[in-house]
């Protein structure tokens, strides 16, 4: 969690240390790991990424620039996540990972980010001196990067599980702690102005309360507390009202424009009437058509999108670095084959953990540590959401961190 707070360089350094030192300490033992079916699918996914990178660098270099092997280099470096996956699987199955420290770390740093956002909200700058760069979005310790809400969505959930999992506390005190944490996390993620992370955070808690029998009775309290936090902030703060009030409007406009633009032959949608998010998503289609089956190689969207054929008059001519949706990006970078492989990985993981391990659990074969990881993973791969690049350092590290932990814990007998 601290690595994600500091930035990509430290995340990569952390990943490198985990890989190198595990190999130095355990040597050949790592290669003795028993391959599961999901392992073989993940290996196939990375082999395909490598093939796509080689093919695109060899035959389609004009899309990038003559003699430019950027895609191939990024493809080779991306293999580190396959190593990270198997190493974490090995360490967890050998009981070498102390999850208590991961949960405590997540709790400490997500609480720090929350309190820093409160400080920035009150004094217009955080404790490090970072000033507010956007009145509608507070970044806290992230400075000019407006990603505080995404950080809280990913790591704050673990804070709710520290005390019931690792510390013996009376129910009265436990309830008070959990309510306090919920108020702090929820208020800070709303103040961050990151709308999708806020929705995914509440979605994660909703799923836990819905499916976990022991917490289901607290669902009405969850709704009351959510309203108690959100409504006063929404009514009293113009920036929050403008930011979150616009979310429903934008979502409905995207749906209407999508239907009119793709299924209606009579109505014409003008560029000025299109929400910016829809135009962002739409740039994927022409880019995907350039190489439908194997894509353009990872992180190739920024190179291929400007060269795509503009199909409609109202289509956006300029491009971002990615289409802001995991699945659309996978389609453009890895084509239909890459999408099928990645979707297969997600389905197998959900089946083996949520359905097979969680819904049909027995007292002798269920590890409760898996609960937060399962319910954080589901919103992470939720198709109808905006997102950063799937292949970015932070997102790929986090996704394969979740995947390796869920697969390893699902495979443990006790």
């Amino acid at each position: 969690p601290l690595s994600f707070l500091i930035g990509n360089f430290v995340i990569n350094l952390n990943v490198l240390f985990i890989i190198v030192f595990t190999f130095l300490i355990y040597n050949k033992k790592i290669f003795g790991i028993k391959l599961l079916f999901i392992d073989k699918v993940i290996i196939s996914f990375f082999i395909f990424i490598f093939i796509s990178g080689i093919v695109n660098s060899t035959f389609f270099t004009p899309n990038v620039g003559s003699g430019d092997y950027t895609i191939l280099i990024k493809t080779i470096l991306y293999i580190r996540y396959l190593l990270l996956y198997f190493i974490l699987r090995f360490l967890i199955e050998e009981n070498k990972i102390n999850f208590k420290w991961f949960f405590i770390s997540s709790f400490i740093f997500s609480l720090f980010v929350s309190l820093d956002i409160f400080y920035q909200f009150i004094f217009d700058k955080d404790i490090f001196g970072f000033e507010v760069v956007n009145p509608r979005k507070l970044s806290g310790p992230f400075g000019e990067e407006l990603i505080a809400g995404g950080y809280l969505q990913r790591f704050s959930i673990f804070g709710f599980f520290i005390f019931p999992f690792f510390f013996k506390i009376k129910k009265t005190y436990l309830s008070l702690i959990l309510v306090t944490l919920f108020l702090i996390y929820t208020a800070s993620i709303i103040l961050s102005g990151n709308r999708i992370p806020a929705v995914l955070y509440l979605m994660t808690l909703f799923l836990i309360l819905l499916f976990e029998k022991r917490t289901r009775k607290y669902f009405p309290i969850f709704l009351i507390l959510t309203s108690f936090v959100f409504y006063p902030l929404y009514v009293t703060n113009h920036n929050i009202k403008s930011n979150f009030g616009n979310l429903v409007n934008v979502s409905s406009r995207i749906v209407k424009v999508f239907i009119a633009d793709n299924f209606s032959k009579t109505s014409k949608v003008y560029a000025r009437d299109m929400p910016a998010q829809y135009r962002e998503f739409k740039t994927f289609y022409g880019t995907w058509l350039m190489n439908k089956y194997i894509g353009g190689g990872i992180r190739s969207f920024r190179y291929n999108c400007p060269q795509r054929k503009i199909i409609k008059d109202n289509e956006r001519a300029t491009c971002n670095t990615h289409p802001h949706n995991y699945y659309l990006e996978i389609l453009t970078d890895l084509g239909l084959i890459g999408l099928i492989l990645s979707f297969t990985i997600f389905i197998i993981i959900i089946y083996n953990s949520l359905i097979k391990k969680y819904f049909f659990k027995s007292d002798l074969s269920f590890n409760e540590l898996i609960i937060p990881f399962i319910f954080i993973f589901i919103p992470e791969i939720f198709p109808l959401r905006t997102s950063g690049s799937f292949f970015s350092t932070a997102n790929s590290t986090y996704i394969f961190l979740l995947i390796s932990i869920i697969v390893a814990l699902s495979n443990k007998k006790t």
Side-chain angles (χ1 to χ4, degrees), residues 23-41:
F23 271 113
L24 287 175
I25 294 169
Y26 296 103
N27 301 311
K28 296 179 181 179
K29 282 186 178 181
I30 301 170
F31 299 101
I33 193 169
K34 183 181 178 181
L35 288 181
L36 307 171
F37 178 70
I38 181 64
D39 297 333
K40 296 174 183 177
V41 179

Side-chain angles (χ1 to χ4, degrees), residues 105-312:
S105 178
S106 298
F107 165 68
I108 290 173
F109 292 112
S110 57
L111 187 61
F112 166 73
V113 171
S114 296
L115 296 178
D116 196 45
I117 287 174
F118 291 149
Y119 189 93
Q120 193 176 48
F121 177 70
I122 297 170
F123 299 105
D124 290 328
K125 62 181 180 180
D126 85 322
I127 61 171
F128 299 111
F130 292 127
E131 296 183 352
V132 176
V133 295
N134 185 333
R136 297 198 304 173
K137 295 184 179 182
L138 301 181
S139 60
F142 293 97
E144 294 184 359
E145 290 188 276
L146 305 175
I147 57 172
Y151 183 90
L152 291 173
Q153 175 246 321
R154 286 178 163 177
F155 291 106
S156 65
I157 300 298
F158 296 104
F160 293 107
F161 289 87
I162 288 182
F163 300 99
F165 276 7
F166 303 109
F167 301 101
K168 292 183 179 180
I169 298 178
K170 291 182 179 180
K171 285 188 176 180
T172 305
Y173 296 131
L174 178 61
S175 299
L176 182 61
I177 290 171
L178 294 179
V179 168
T180 304
L181 280 179
F182 177 80
L183 295 175
I184 292 173
Y185 286 147
T186 306
S188 59
I189 204 169
I190 290 172
L191 289 174
S192 75
N194 299 134
R195 298 176 296 190
I196 297 301
V199 172
L200 296 178
Y201 161 81
L202 293 174
M203 178 182 175
T204 304
L205 292 176
F206 171 79
L207 290 173
I208 293 170
L209 291 170
L210 181 66
F211 291 116
E212 183 59 36
K213 292 181 181 179
R214 292 168 295 181
T215 60
R216 200 172 295 160
K217 60 184 177 182
Y218 299 112
F219 186 72
I221 299 175
F222 165 71
L223 293 178
I224 293 171
L225 286 174
T226 303
S227 302
F228 176 76
V229 176
F230 183 76
Y231 185 73
L233 289 173
Y234 182 82
V235 172
T236 59
N237 190 287
H238 171 74
N239 292 322
I240 293 175
K241 186 174 184 179
S242 173
N243 195 29
F244 284 89
N246 193 38
L247 178 62
V248 177
N249 179 41
V250 170
S251 301
S252 61
R253 283 180 63 207
I254 288 176
V255 173
K256 291 177 182 177
V257 168
F258 174 78
I259 294 172
D261 193 37
N262 293 280
F263 300 105
S264 176
K265 295 181 180 179
T266 55
S267 60
K268 183 177 180 180
V269 182
Y270 295 97
R272 65 175 182 273
D273 299 324
M274 288 186 169
Q277 293 86 345
Y278 177 75
R279 298 188 72 201
E280 193 81 63
F281 292 152
K282 196 176 178 182
T283 57
F284 104 91
Y285 186 67
T287 312
W288 169 62
L289 291 178
M290 296 172 68
N291 206 334
K292 292 190 288 185
Y293 300 105
I294 67 168
I298 62 171
R299 306 305 294 268
S300 63
F301 182 84
R302 68 186 69 193
Y303 306 114
N304 293 336
C305 181
Q307 300 185 47
R308 77 191 190 282
K309 182 180 178 181
I310 304 295
I311 300 172
K312 293 188 178 181

